[in-house]
Amino acid sequence: MVNVIGLGYIGLPTALMMASHGVEVIGTDYNKELVDTLNAGKTTFKEDGLDELFQNAVKAGIKFTTEYQNTDVYIVSVPTPYDKFSKKVDACYVVEAVKDVMKVCHKGATVVIESTVSPGTIDKFVRPVIEENGFTIGQDINLVHAPERIIPGNMVYELLHNNRTIGADDKAIGEKIKELYSSFCQGEIVVTDIRTAEMTKVVENTFRAVNIAFANELAKICRHDDMDVYEIIKICNMHPRVNILQPGPGVGGHCISVDPWFLVGDYPSLAKVIDESMKTNDGMPDFVLNRIYEIMKENKITDISKVGLYGLTYKENVDDMRESPTLQMLESMERHLCGDLVKVYDPFITKDIVPNQYHDLDKFINDVELVVLLVGHDEIKQNMDKLKGKVILDTRKICDLDGVYRL
Ligand code: SAJ
């Protein structure tokens, strides 16, 4: 039996996937409201294929509770924020979860950490918790790191098909956990040691962050001398060994905008390219803000309440707002005392979370002169005609209407 701890964006699909493939699963989360929602038969976020997976898992007997269980395997899938000052990983949620596991587990159980952690975190923070409880790792309790790799927007597919890494210092335990993940994972599963697994996960997300920063820097260079960054990237990408990513209004989400900082925090004198890349990405919301002011001036729009920001989530077709570039822009605007004047709309965000938030696309468009496209949701791609006659700043290259402004 497996107890999945943390039923968020990663833990929930993982628990459902295992249960749907014949593994006996109990999902635990400290958030009672979330557990009640799941027990009422509803999922807690939107994702392609998630509802169907949920139904299958429920039929297969998955249970949701706020209590930790006595099981053979624990999969810890809780957030790992970073300490904004030291830039180091904040392992507090992982540590608390493992402490709670220790209260109920039996000898022979395996604790699998799925949460993203920087290299050495498991040794430094998790190992002591287990040992303080009188257990010997490798004898009484087994410890494994199985970092997740699924991308929001395509999670269910990627959970089934991505290759995975299992980090275990005891190879036999690694193989045992590989077998568990093989119940559903059709990709290749590599078994390595814990520290290597920790590093690979952070490096994967850092690779993407650095490459997005490169695209963002190109956008700034091209803006400076009025060149078309998208045309340049398109042509460069025709080279067999060039594959540049897309510039955008900033990098959000809980992964790419966070994990690379772990390396900067741990290796400040070595991680120079990474540090600069993260600063470049973090500077993008302000770059967009300056574009907005330039475009307002050019079009003689003097009233900020005539500006509408389309998109609050960190990327297209998800309902996740963590570290969203739009929220970062709104924060900056607040410092300029205009954050509560600008209009905002996102079809995925139904609750009011910022001032002047709209819930109707037509009304939102009608009430503004300048529309800033910050997220490429399918909804707006399918309704581009509605933007005709408006001044448009498109930060994602999703709009082909005449006269559209870009980054
Ligand atoms: N973005 C750009 N330009 C691009 C691609 C992305 O500006 O060309 C922006 C997005 O708009 C978004 C941010 O970057 O704001 C991150 O989005 P993403 O789609 O690149 O990645 P995430 O954060 O949703 O998911 C990543 C994935 N990691 C990699 O692709 C290496 C996923 O596989 C990981 O499982 C996930 O992080 C995680 O949980 O760590």
Side-chain angles (χ1 to χ4, degrees), residues 148-150 152 201 205 208 246 252 255 314-315 396:
E148 56 82 15
R149 272 181 171 169
I150 53 179
K201 168 67 200 207
N205 280 352
R208 195 156 169 85
Q246 292 299 303
C255 313
Y314 83 92
K315 68 173 186 179
R396 299 276 188 181

Side-chain angles (χ1 to χ4, degrees), residues 9-10 116 147-153 155 158 162 200-209 211-213 215-216 244-257 259 281 284 313-316 318 320 322-325 374-376 395-396:
Y9 287 100
I10 303 301
T116 303
E148 56 82 15
R149 272 181 171 169
I150 53 179
I151 196 151
M155 282 181 160
E158 290 209 348
N162 282 2
T200 55
K201 168 67 200 207
V202 177
V203 168
E204 288 160 14
N205 280 352
T206 302
F207 172 85
R208 195 156 169 85
N211 281 281
I212 296 169
N216 284 335
I244 304 170
L245 294 176
Q246 292 299 303
V251 170
H254 189 59
C255 313
I256 309 264
S257 68
D259 304 349
N281 291 339
M284 288 313 285
T313 62
Y314 83 92
K315 68 173 186 179
E316 70 284 359
V318 298
D320 186 345
R322 288 176 298 172
E323 320 293 330
S324 136
L374 292 160
V375 184
T395 67
R396 299 276 188 181

Side-chain angles (χ1 to χ4, degrees), residues 14-242:
T14 305
L16 300 177
M17 192 58 91
M18 283 190 175
S20 304
H21 286 79
V23 180
E24 205 179 333
V25 179
I26 300 189
T28 296
D29 200 292
Y30 78 104
N31 180 344
K32 187 172 178 315
E33 204 184 319
L34 183 145
V35 169
D36 287 346
T37 305
L38 295 171
N39 280 328
K42 282 182 259 166
T43 50
T44 40
F45 59 95
K46 294 191 188 100
E47 186 66 42
D48 267 0
L50 190 70
D51 285 341
E52 200 189 328
L53 188 65
F54 181 78
Q55 298 308 336
N56 291 342
V58 169
K59 266 187 221 139
I62 191 169
K63 300 269 181 299
F64 304 107
T65 168
T66 53
E67 305 294 322
Y68 285 64
Q69 308 295 312
N70 183 356
T71 55
D72 307 317
V73 177
Y74 295 88
I75 295 185
V76 176
S77 207
V78 295
T80 38
Y82 77 101
D83 180 292
K84 286 207 163 111
F85 182 68
S86 70
K87 309 283 190 217
K88 287 178 190 282
V89 70
D90 180 350
C92 63
Y93 296 117
V94 175
V95 165
E96 285 311 309
V98 175
K99 274 186 186 164
D100 286 339
V101 166
M102 291 301 108
K103 290 180 195 153
V104 296
C105 71
H106 60 260
K107 280 190 179 180
T110 301
V111 177
V112 181
I113 309 293
E114 272 224 19
S115 310
T116 303
V117 289
S118 60
T121 301
I122 291 182
D123 242 12
K124 195 166 164 196
F125 295 104
V126 177
R127 191 175 271 275
V129 173
I130 297 174
E131 288 169 350
E132 275 157 22
N133 278 272
F135 294 117
T136 305
I137 292 170
Q139 250 176 50
D140 305 324
I141 297 289
N142 304 304
L143 192 51
V144 173
H145 183 38
E148 56 82 15
R149 272 181 171 169
I150 53 179
I151 196 151
N154 198 23
M155 282 181 160
V156 175
Y157 177 89
E158 290 209 348
L159 204 45
L160 278 170
H161 294 97
N162 282 2
N163 303 323
R164 300 195 64 117
T165 319
I166 303 283
D169 295 345
D170 177 334
K171 204 146 176 33
I173 293 300
E175 290 300 329
K176 214 175 110 195
I177 295 303
K178 174 177 173 176
E179 210 178 295
L180 172 67
Y181 280 90
S182 300
S183 63
F184 65 87
C185 173
Q186 297 168 26
E188 190 182 331
I189 304 179
V190 177
V191 178
T192 183
D193 59 273
I194 289 179
R195 201 182 179 89
T196 304
E198 289 175 319
M199 185 63 172
T200 55
K201 168 67 200 207
V202 177
V203 168
E204 288 160 14
N205 280 352
T206 302
F207 172 85
R208 195 156 169 85
V210 169
N211 281 281
I212 296 169
F214 178 65
N216 284 335
E217 188 162 287
L218 289 181
K220 288 183 181 173
I221 292 171
C222 291
R223 170 59 40 219
H224 187 266
D225 268 339
D226 205 17
M227 293 180 272
D228 181 345
V229 70
Y230 299 100
E231 176 78 355
I232 290 162
I233 290 176
K234 190 177 93 190
I235 296 169
C236 291
N237 282 351
M238 291 166 75
H239 184 292
R241 281 172 298 283
V242 176

